[in-house]
Amino acid sequence: MASTWMESVAEAQRRAKKRLPPSVYSALLAGHDRGRTYNSNMDAFAELGLAPHVAGLPAERDLATSVMGQPISMPVLISPTGVQAVHPDGEVAIARASAARGVAMGLSSFASKPIEEVIAANPQVFFQMYWMDSRETMSMLMDRAKAAGAVGLVVTLDWTFSYGRDWGSPIIPETVNLKAMARFAPEAIRRPRWLLDFAKEGRIPDLTTPNIALPGQPAPTFFGAYGRWMQTPPPSWEDIAWLAQEWGGPIMLKGICRLDDAKRAVDAGVTAISVSNHGGNNLDTTPAAIRCLRPIVEAVGDDVEVVLDGGIRRGSDVVKAVALGARAVMIGRAYLWGLAANGQAGVENVLDILRMGIDSTMYGLARASLSELSPEDVIIPDGFIQRLGASGTNR
């Protein structure tokens, strides 16, 4: 019997592609327009070098840290992602895996599993929200998250509507009904193991979003939720300040890549910011997130915690981000590929890959703890850093 262990995130992606129907895999890959930012997020890490030592290396390394008051075993967080039809257990499997590895989890408001079930599997859950409907709706959703035991809030702003991708957007059904099943049967037949996973559980892929259901109404489909978000006027900085006050606890604003926005976020009263371009799903040709990190840390790192998401595929990527000032990183596609490849065990596998990579990189850099990492450990090429929104310039 072939080993289920995966040696790298790239291997998890290969196995996910083999297991998932093409449309489902394409939805995970995503990316805006031509996908330049999606690729740049990963390629930028390869441009950063490391400066290793050869003696006096630490026999043990401490990878632990904390984010928004939550102790975590390593500087990695589960980034919230929408409806996860890649595996029947979806977000619950991810919650179990992240809890087993001492990692906090972001849960999307567009998730396919109720927040109560997810928090039962991992009490360290940050509930993620888009600005939707009205302040009244936002208050209602926050109240439910608080009652369920969410330990923090993530507000996502780095997402714009894509009118088309150069390589084509996947066709995703509104609901999985008989018509949809007939249409996608050829894809499912080509990937029988994926379909068998759901059949064993006596269910079909669930495309509803139970965490944003309004009182007395059924849970909307993903596209129903998407439509509600698109029809809502975008929030102002005053709305963000209201959210922070209304939540009254740790809150992260996700999607910062400009210095002026970072400073406005601090003024709005958030606890943390995520330097992010939504994994390349915001505006294409936005610089890689890691290029924007250091100037933002220098500007607001004493006022808020700064995390980074976008392009993390290796433990060395995590170390580079922490050395440049990130408190932690958030991963998205990496754990989804693990989930698709092997369920909960696949997510644990991906987290183990990152942990081993972080540990070995810190060993080579002669750093015994995350607090010892600094920009001196990283070789930064000329022109690498991007200072967007600095005194009216974007250089």
Side-chain angles (χ1 to χ4, degrees), residues 173-187:
E174 175 78 14
T175 58
V176 183
N177 51 27
L178 289 175
K179 181 178 179 181
M181 286 190 284
R183 179 176 186 176
F184 286 90
E187 286 195 26

Side-chain angles (χ1 to χ4, degrees), residues 23-375:
S23 291
V24 178
Y25 176 76
S26 180
L28 292 187
L29 194 63
H32 187 267
D33 285 352
R34 74 180 69 189
R36 181 168 180 176
T37 296
Y38 165 75
N39 290 305
S40 294
N41 276 340
M42 295 176 287
D43 294 343
F45 280 103
E47 294 183 35
L48 294 171
L50 294 169
H53 292 275
V54 294
L57 308 183
E60 297 181 356
R61 281 76 57 196
D62 181 7
L63 310 188
T65 187
S66 65
V67 174
M68 296 206 296
Q70 295 300 306
I72 51 179
S73 66
M74 61 177 171
V76 175
L77 302 168
I78 296 294
S79 186
T81 57
V83 173
Q84 294 170 3
V86 301
H87 189 276
D89 293 334
E91 294 86 0
V92 173
I94 294 162
R96 291 171 181 156
S98 54
R101 296 301 185 262
V103 169
M105 173 182 177
L107 176 69
S108 174
S109 56
F110 286 11
S112 62
K113 302 294 183 183
I115 185 173
E116 294 80 7
E117 289 184 24
V118 176
I119 290 179
N122 185 347
Q124 288 186 300
V125 167
F126 304 128
F127 184 60
Q128 177 273 341
M129 299 174 65
Y130 297 100
W131 187 259
M132 183 182 296
D133 295 345
S134 64
R135 287 190 177 187
E136 181 182 6
T137 295
M138 300 296 280
S139 291
M140 180 195 69
L141 298 179
M142 285 188 281
D143 287 344
R144 178 179 175 182
K146 288 176 183 177
V151 296
L153 193 70
V154 176
V155 182
T156 301
L157 300 184
D158 59 334
W159 189 24
T160 55
F161 179 72
S162 175
Y163 286 93
R165 301 182 174 100
D166 287 11
W167 59 92
S169 299
I171 299 173
I172 302 173
E174 175 78 14
T175 58
V176 183
N177 51 27
L178 289 175
K179 181 178 179 181
M181 286 190 284
R183 179 176 186 176
F184 286 90
E187 286 195 26
I189 292 172
R190 291 168 57 193
R191 299 291 189 269
R193 289 185 299 169
W194 174 79
L195 193 60
L196 184 60
D197 286 340
F198 285 91
K200 287 178 180 177
E201 299 293 328
R203 66 181 79 165
I204 59 177
D206 190 358
L207 300 181
T208 59
T209 55
N211 293 314
I212 57 170
L214 299 175
Q217 297 184 20
T221 64
F222 174 81
F223 287 105
Y226 192 79
R228 281 169 55 186
W229 165 73
M230 285 187 64
Q231 293 170 33
T232 303
S236 65
W237 283 109
E238 289 73 21
D239 290 324
I240 302 304
W242 172 83
L243 261 183
Q245 184 174 18
E246 186 77 2
W247 174 253
I251 179 171
M252 178 190 296
L253 185 61
K254 186 175 180 292
I256 301 292
C257 61
R258 294 174 57 105
L259 291 167
D260 46 4
D261 281 352
K263 293 173 182 177
R264 293 294 297 272
V266 171
D267 293 341
V270 303
T271 309
I273 61 175
S274 175
V275 177
S276 167
N277 50 48
H278 209 103
N281 275 313
N282 196 9
L283 295 178
D284 196 26
T285 68
T286 299
I290 189 66
R291 296 183 185 275
C292 304
L293 174 64
R294 188 62 193 166
I296 291 174
V297 169
E298 292 172 342
V300 302
D302 292 335
D303 301 313
V304 293
E305 296 176 358
V306 180
V307 304
L308 175 132
D309 76 77
I312 299 293
R313 299 293 186 269
R314 298 166 181 81
S316 59
D317 297 340
V318 180
V319 172
K320 289 172 182 177
V322 174
L324 292 180
R327 194 172 187 90
V329 304
M330 302 178 80
I331 60 170
R333 292 180 180 91
Y335 75 77
L336 288 175
W337 289 326
L339 179 68
N342 197 25
Q344 176 183 338
V347 179
E348 293 174 0
N349 191 159
V350 165
L351 292 173
D352 289 342
I353 290 167
L354 294 177
R355 177 183 296 278
M356 290 186 294
I358 295 167
D359 186 68
S360 63
T361 305
M362 289 179 61
Y363 176 78
L365 294 173
R367 303 304 187 195
S369 68
L370 299 175
S371 62
E372 294 180 4
L373 291 167
S374 77

